[in-house]
Amino acid sequence: MPRHLRVDRRRRRAALITALLGVAAGGVLLQEREPAPAVRVPETAGSAYPGLHVDPNGAAAVHVRALHRAGRKADAEVLRRIADRPAATWFTDAGPGYQLRARRLVHAAAANKRLPVLALYYIPYRDCASYSAGGAPNARAYRAWIASLAAALRGYRALVILEPDAVAQAVRGCLRGRAAVERYALLAHAVDTLRAVPGVAVYLDAGNPTWMPAARIAPALRRAGAIRARGFALNVANFETTTDNLRYGTQLSRLLGGRHFVVDTSRNGNGPARRGGGSEHWCNPPGRRLGVPPTLRTGHPLADAYLWVKRPGESDGACGSGAPPAGQWYPAYAMALAR
């Protein structure tokens, strides 16, 4: 290769690494004008989970500290298999301080040269009145919420998982008529608002391999802005195997202009539960295990990351004996996963 081409390649690579990991004055990551073409963070020597941010205030970490105070050191060490690994931070309401919480998260990650993962989950008519029902009261409130979070992320790098289940549920008929049209429009607006922030990579949720064929959901994902996002997210809060998700993601990518994807591996180490029993297939099913640890190095050309989007140990819903509402810490289930 001619010398001038080798130099040019080295300069481009150096510019990308600087944009991803360079720290500017005040702890803010340096930014280029457009989002980088890939979310790749060079491995840091000695780090078991390079590149991704570990939240020291997550529910698992808080529980570990409580176990230590109670003298239950053996249980605390087991639970560290969850607490010491990166997981997404969820934003699910417009309660006071949500923008500040987002800003503090991305600032702390930048200070440690790590990439934070945020899951945004506030779409109107969320979860079709199921266990995670709620969301914004109307379209105007949702757009304002997205704008506030985009402002909080400005100046920092972040990976955003946008609205788990929102597209798939609309395709399955959870919403009809104007409500469905509005949902696609709101998702497309959220994609465009967030991707306009330099350094923010947006992955629109695309369900999981068992929900529906790729050819059925792909048109809806296009309507919802997936073709303009960095890509799409698979298996969020689900249990399908990584192999099946990679196969499904590759099929979807072909239908979405080569978009990349991420896979939630948080609880798929033992695959899905047997079908039957209604919601027990996906709502705190017993016998599940932690999956592949979070990483930005998947070895797959289209998979940007294996992530723990669903925080292991947090409930899927009040669907069984002793199970708390969705999103709340579920100690017994957490310990079962960690063991």
Side-chain angles (χ1 to χ4, degrees), residues 42-89:
E43 185 168 354
T44 302
S47 174
Y49 313 106
L52 292 168
H53 177 64
V54 178
D55 182 4
N57 298 312
V62 171
H63 194 195
V64 164
R65 293 194 288 270
L67 289 172
H68 270 291
R69 288 194 299 270
R72 296 170 57 186
K73 294 184 179 180
D75 286 342
E77 289 307 307
V78 170
L79 198 59
R80 284 191 181 279
R81 296 170 187 167
I82 294 175
D84 291 349
R85 289 173 171 167
T89 300

Side-chain angles (χ1 to χ4, degrees), residues 122-127 134-139 142 163 175 182-183 186:
Y122 191 53
I123 197 76
Y125 310 110
R126 184 178 67 200
D127 203 28
N138 52 55
Y142 184 73
E163 296 298 345
L175 301 174
E182 179 184 80
R183 170 161 292 188
L186 287 177

Side-chain angles (χ1 to χ4, degrees), residues 236-259:
V236 172
N238 217 288
F239 304 87
E240 303 304 320
T241 67
T242 302
T243 298
D244 285 349
N245 276 284
L246 291 175
R247 185 182 301 114
Y248 185 67
T250 301
Q251 294 171 358
L252 259 183
S253 178
R254 294 194 189 106
L255 300 172
L256 295 173
R259 285 294 170 271

